[in-house]
Amino acid sequence: MLDLAARWLRSFGEGYYTIGSAGHEGNAAVAAALRPTDPALLHYRSGGFYCVRAAQAAGGFPAAPEGRPDGGDDPDDAEPEASTDPDRAGPDRPAPTPTADPTLVTDPSPVTDPSSADGPSSVAGPLSEPDAEVPAEVVPVPAEVAPDAGGPAPGATPARSGETPDDPESVVPLPTGAGVTAVADGEAGTGLPALPTPDPDDGYVQAARDVLRGVVASAREPIAGGRHKVFGHADLAVIPTTSTIASHLPRAVGMGLALERLRRVGGGRRPGAAVPEAGGDGAATSPWPADAIVVCSFGDASVNHATATAAFNTAGWYDHTGLRIPVLFVCEDNGLGISVRSPKGWVEATLRARPGIRYFTADGTDPVETYRVAEQAAGWVRRHRRPAVLHLTTVRLMGHAGADAETAYRSPAEISADLARDPLLATARLLVATGYATGEELLARYDERGWQVRRIAEEVLDEPKLASPAEVVAELAPRRPARLSRALADAAARAAGPNAGARAEAFGGKPPELAGPLTLAQSINAALADGMLDHPGMAVFGEDVAAKGGVYGVTKGLRDRFGAARVFDTLLDETSILGLGLGAGVAGMLPVPEIQYLAYLHNAEDQLRGEAATMRFFSRGAYRNPMVVRVAGLAYQEGFGGHFHNDNSVAVLRDVPGLVIAVPARPDDAAPMLRTCLAAAAVDGSVCAFLEPIALYHTRDLYADGDGEWLDEYAGPGAWAARHVPIGRARVYGVGSAEDLTIITFGNGVRMSLRAAATLADEGIGSRVVDLRWLAPLPVADIVRESSATGRVLVVDETRRSGGVGEGVIAALVDGGYVGAARRVAGLDCFVPLGPAARQVLVSEEAITQGARTLLAR
């Protein structure tokens, strides 16, 4: 009905989303088998799941059972043989009879369960450690769902409209009752039956209103507020997903790993309890109960996507090591990806072959079988805290979306076969056959619900839309600098006060402020340690960060100080590393993942763009994704060439709305900037990229060998507040008179520009060197002020001329009303080559000096 309503709204230009859930309603049974406090990430055909979850929360549908009524062992704990039944339903096979027993199959080569008597009893590792299975509270399990309990199956439609017209603008009628004329052309109110106003406490009515508000882009839509049509609601533990091509699966794995870690340290939360902000002196707290599991749905075509492969691989990889990830993947397999068919047997073979992931399968058009198998799958994941996949064979009705003409790629016989397997028809037949209702009663209920949906569709038409830029971007990336400053002052007070003993112990009695001048790498290391001490939910992870201490030694010693549960090595996959961070952040932790080289980030950048940075935007702040992603990058590594290790490409990061990009050049900036990023993530839920110039990690000198002028003292807690570096504020160095020229730069350019400025000073030219420090948001006010002070600006940009940072600086000057002279020195539009050839394409001190002279000669 919601799909039909969406197409009706679209037919007169008031609906903006017509991808629906018709044929996938079996996922409602999956929701019924779960608890309303199990966090769910739903793809765009999980409308049935969303409706049942809303009904569960409203008390209109029984929640999933807490355990087996007899308290005994579940027969599914055994390892049965894989199903070889040729009649098992699938995209290319007819459905079995509704009374067929559910089939549970496992990986052909199952991994030994570490929780069993024969498995290892303890394995150290990231975020969580294995132990015995979690006991479930035992309550009676209802034998059947009562017909009056609600839900999408009881009283569901016994028939639905046929194929969608080829013309996307044609009117799609909603069901009509006896003697009632359907409304056409959007004439609201004409011919409606005198039905009572929908009960606001009816969970299905609430769900219908949520969905239709998304369809019409209403500002009152409860999760995205009109920014997008997604399934999400904070009160229903449904987390919005912004993509339909599996990009949310790595987050689900990260959530499962974080949930288990928080469960083991007592960070689980009872339903309804307030969720404190991350950071401070309180322990990290999960928004969900300690025994919750994560459910994540996706389509069969998404099985082939790289992000899905990464998620399955990561879940299996950790399971193989004995670590726990309580995630239930739900593959809703209708055999099609828009018009591209999934090859016969491919999805099943792919999912079965995933090591470490238990495989369950059911006919998604049979509600009884789906519920029973989903209950088994969810129970298995909840008890063993291990990943599983539920493979539901479904059908897709009414095409991919409203404008999709299925006849272009499907035969009438195929379409008819899917209509015959309509899960609503199957449910209606079951209800009639078992005596719960007559056909006439079901038709009457169908009509009644249809007109309720129609009335709701007409009501939401009049709701306000987002009408100004301020409304649209309000929840994109809010900044609260005053609160951030207070948070840093509080952290300093804790470090100097109640946490002083723990801090002294962590640093072996010699805190970094007493260690003498530090390099950039050493300063970041010390700041990470201080961050770990202040944020109990903070975790540092990535490739080689633990035992080795990072390939450049930046995380050296952190695992020894804080343990393998908080500082750990990951598998070598950037998508999975960021996915772990995504899930950990949503689950209540403060993740600090490391990307080993900037070029490696390009393999996985959509996890930042499409998942991390959009979470707050598409949930109106109900969900946040606090994250500080440390990235070793930029060029100028002597003797270490190739674009993968000498990469100066940051344009893709600067294009992500709301993302904070920090680039510390000096040790005395690195620590306070990192503290700012950690506080912004904890307080505002910010997503920060902390880009560390590799070539400056161990630099000690500035002007001459041995001068030590690139080293600096580490500030103790008493100086943290005074040395706070706010987001979007630059640093200015005066060289000579500082009246003739302004040089604007960042990263490696700061050191080169200071050296060039010294050369110019010997020629009587005074310069002010502006270190941007923040590439997003740019310190626009500082840029315009310092440029106007001299009237001559040289922008030194170590990234590329096209798409580089310099373009943004010049644009900021123009927009800010700057009227003086300006010139750019930038890297060439070229990858960085190996060896000495790199000097031919990168900015040099000589190029800066010559650029300044040319500018001053005008």
Side-chain angles (χ1 to χ4, degrees), residues 638-717:
E638 291 294 331
F640 203 167
H643 67 283
F644 249 43
H645 300 96
N646 263 325
D647 182 34
N648 59 350
S649 178
V650 300
V652 68
L653 291 174
R654 294 188 62 245
D655 187 52
V656 179
L659 183 70
V660 174
I661 307 174
V663 184
R666 295 181 59 100
D668 50 334
D669 276 336
M673 289 175 70
L674 182 55
R675 279 193 289 270
T676 296
C677 287
L678 292 173
V683 172
D684 292 329
S686 298
V687 181
C688 304
F690 196 76
L691 183 55
E692 303 164 6
I694 297 173
L696 298 178
Y697 268 149
H698 306 298
T699 298
R700 307 177 68 86
D701 306 320
L702 175 56
Y703 299 113
D705 291 345
D707 67 16
E709 291 198 34
W710 204 256
L711 303 174
D712 215 311
E713 305 284 341
Y714 185 85

Side-chain angles (χ1 to χ4, degrees), residues 47-282:
F49 186 112
Y50 184 81
C51 289
V52 168
R53 176 60 65 89
Q56 285 176 325
F61 197 92
E66 299 288 331
R68 293 182 57 77
D70 58 3
D73 293 335
D74 193 315
D76 296 335
D77 289 342
E79 299 288 351
E81 294 295 325
S83 171
T84 56
D85 181 2
D87 295 327
R88 170 62 49 193
D92 303 292
R93 306 187 188 101
T97 59
T99 58
D101 289 334
T103 298
L104 164 65
V105 293
T106 62
D107 192 297
S109 302
V111 177
T112 301
D113 185 355
S115 66
S116 67
D118 297 329
S121 59
S122 178
V123 179
L127 294 180
S128 63
E129 298 176 1
D131 62 2
E133 59 191 50
V134 182
E137 182 182 353
V138 178
V139 298
V141 183
E144 295 287 347
V145 177
D148 294 330
T157 174
R160 69 165 91 236
S161 295
E163 227 184 312
T164 304
D166 291 346
D167 180 6
E169 300 300 323
S170 61
V171 176
V172 180
L174 285 179
T176 60
V180 179
T181 303
V183 181
D185 300 325
E187 296 176 359
T190 306
L192 285 178
L195 290 177
T197 301
D199 182 359
D201 296 325
D202 183 333
Y204 298 107
V205 169
Q206 294 175 7
R209 183 169 282 108
D210 292 348
V211 172
L212 291 174
R213 279 173 165 164
V215 168
V216 302
S218 167
R220 294 176 183 170
E221 192 272 333
I223 191 68
R227 292 169 180 83
H228 194 38
K229 162 63 177 66
V230 295
F231 289 122
H233 201 298
D235 294 340
L236 305 180
V238 177
I239 300 164
T241 63
T242 60
S243 174
T244 61
I245 313 178
S247 65
H248 57 298
L249 270 64
R251 182 200 298 277
V253 175
M255 287 174 61
L257 206 61
L259 274 179
E260 190 62 5
R261 189 265 180 184
L262 293 171
R263 182 183 72 83
R264 295 175 186 281
V265 299
R269 184 182 69 91
R270 293 188 176 185
V275 183
E277 289 185 341
D281 55 0

